[in-house]
Structure formats: structure tokens, C-alpha cells
Amino acid sequence: MSRVLPPPPATVYDVGGGPGVYARWLADLGYDVTLIDPYPLQVEQAAAEAARGVAFTALEGDARSLPAKDGSVDVVLLLGPLYHLIEHADRLLALAEARRVLRPGGVLAAAAITRHASLLESVFLGRLEDPGCQRVVDRAVATGHHEPRIKDGFTRAYFHRPEELHDEVVAAGFGDVDMLGVEGPACWRPELIGRQAQPVPWMFEVAELCERDPLMIGMSAHLLALARR
């Protein structure tokens, strides 16, 4: 993100910002941050986080209808909404709304979960022998729709192919979309999936090495689309 963010105190809308992890980081750097989330509990947690250090604003709201004037924001982060918006039309609404509130030259950062995430995770955790897991994975790979029916499974979501995320951002009116794979292939190590270990420096080097390689982008757990209005 620091490659493309304008210098502080630029205005940032952290849409779908949850309990405020990104908002806290950006506020501490000197950005004017407004966090938007549809869930009251998440907004409450974000407000508590905002009170513990450099302040930011936390509001309840929807990615498809942002409480900002046209052309009033320097950066819009959509680092969660696109995989929670199951329908294509809703994702386009969220992206179009981000473009509406951005100033000319403003930055969009939109994240998605890669289409084969459930397959890769299940392979590395040895879960594919479970018929229930296999059905969930088969549907996600074929359609992008992840419908959890297994214990500890991820929530209902939509998983993107890299070209699909690119095309949705373009359809919302953005140009020159830069597509990246975020974590790289090392993220599927079982100890990292289970959060029983921290990444080591070479994992970040590997991720950066292949972040724009069309053959490798889909090996990351998350995709990132960067674009300007």
C-alpha cells in the first residue's frame, strides 16, 4: 500500500474496515481515516481502537452507499467487501461507489480472495478426503461461490479469478488496473494457515518476486487490484 498511497494527511475511506486494523495503521501514519463497516459490533470495536491512539472516525455503513460527497476522498480501501458481496451486481455497485467518492487521481485498493483458495488450503491441510470438504471446494472452483458446510470453514463468500477482479474494476470505470498476488505461494504452509507461526523474510521476498506473474498471482490467498480514478 505504501507504494501507491499519497502522503498524509490525505483522506482515506477504509470500507469494510472491521475492527480497525488498517485504520489504526493509517491514522498512526497521519492520514485522515474514516472507517465504514455494516456490522455494529465491528464499528464498536473500531471506535474503541480509535480511542486508544491517534483518532479516526468509525461509522456504520454499506460499501454500496458511502456517506461521502462526490470527489471528496483521496483513497478508498475495499479490503474485504468484494468477497462478502456474493452477487456481481453488488460488487459493481461497491466499486462504482468508490469511484464516485474519489477525487481525480485518487487511489482504489480492492482485495479479493483467489478462486482456488479453498482448494489450496484443503490440499495443504489434507482435508480433501472429507467428502463434505470436497463438495465445498468443487463448487468454489467451478463457480466462485464458497458455501461452507464443514467445521471451521470460512464464511459464505465469493472467490475471484484474477482476470475477473480486473474486469470488474474496469467495468466500474477505472483504468490502468494493476493486479497483484498478495502473499505468494508460501502462504499455504500448514503452520501459517493454522496461525501457529509467523512469516519469515524469505516468504516476503518470494511474494514480491511473483506478485505480478500471471501464472503465479492465483497462488496467493488474496488478490489486490490497484487503480486510479
Side-chain angles (χ1 to χ4, degrees):
M1 290 302 305
S2 57
R3 300 180 201 173
V4 296
L5 287 172
T11 302
V12 179
Y13 258 49
D14 182 9
V15 183
V21 174
Y22 302 117
R24 161 55 55 223
W25 170 60
L26 291 164
D28 287 345
L29 290 175
Y31 289 94
D32 178 8
V33 182
T34 297
L35 179 147
I36 305 290
D37 200 274
Y39 297 104
L41 175 60
Q42 300 275 53
V43 175
E44 181 181 337
Q45 292 170 335
E49 180 62 41
R52 281 193 282 267
V54 178
F56 58 87
T57 302
L59 301 174
E60 189 174 339
D62 192 304
R64 295 163 292 184
S65 180
L66 296 176
K69 296 180 180 178
D70 295 0
S72 61
V73 177
D74 296 302
V75 180
V76 174
L77 307 182
L78 291 174
L79 301 181
L82 295 188
Y83 49 86
H84 291 301
L85 293 170
I86 307 299
E87 300 301 327
H88 174 73
D90 287 326
R91 296 193 297 274
L92 289 187
L93 278 175
L95 289 164
E97 187 68 351
R99 187 177 186 279
R100 177 187 70 79
V101 304
L102 280 171
R103 295 187 175 99
V107 175
L108 168 75
I113 296 177
T114 189
R115 174 64 65 91
H116 294 91
S118 59
L119 172 63
L120 291 166
E121 180 177 276
S122 298
V123 166
F124 282 91
L125 294 181
R127 289 178 173 172
L128 284 177
E129 293 181 358
D130 179 346
C133 177
Q134 182 70 65
R135 287 192 293 272
V136 171
V137 168
D138 286 349
R139 181 175 184 190
V141 170
T143 69
H145 291 276
H146 177 74
E147 299 286 348
R149 294 190 178 90
I150 57 175
K151 184 179 179 181
D152 299 326
F154 188 64
T155 187
R156 184 170 182 258
Y158 188 80
F159 294 172
H160 283 76
R161 294 182 181 275
E163 64 273 15
E164 185 179 21
L165 177 61
H166 174 278
D167 291 348
E168 288 183 354
V169 175
V170 169
F174 291 93
D176 298 323
V177 182
D178 192 12
M179 291 294 305
L180 298 95
V182 178
E183 300 93 345
C187 71
W188 300 112
R189 292 167 62 99
E191 64 271 25
L192 293 179
I193 297 174
R195 300 189 179 185
Q196 297 172 343
Q198 294 293 321
V200 294
W202 66 261
M203 295 181 185
F204 295 103
E205 294 170 7
V206 168
E208 186 172 4
L209 180 67
C210 61
E211 66 184 4
R212 287 187 173 85
D213 187 332
L215 296 177
M216 294 297 293
I217 286 176
M219 281 293 293
S220 287
H222 293 85
L223 310 168
L224 186 65
L226 300 173
R228 293 186 183 274
R229 187 185 187 284

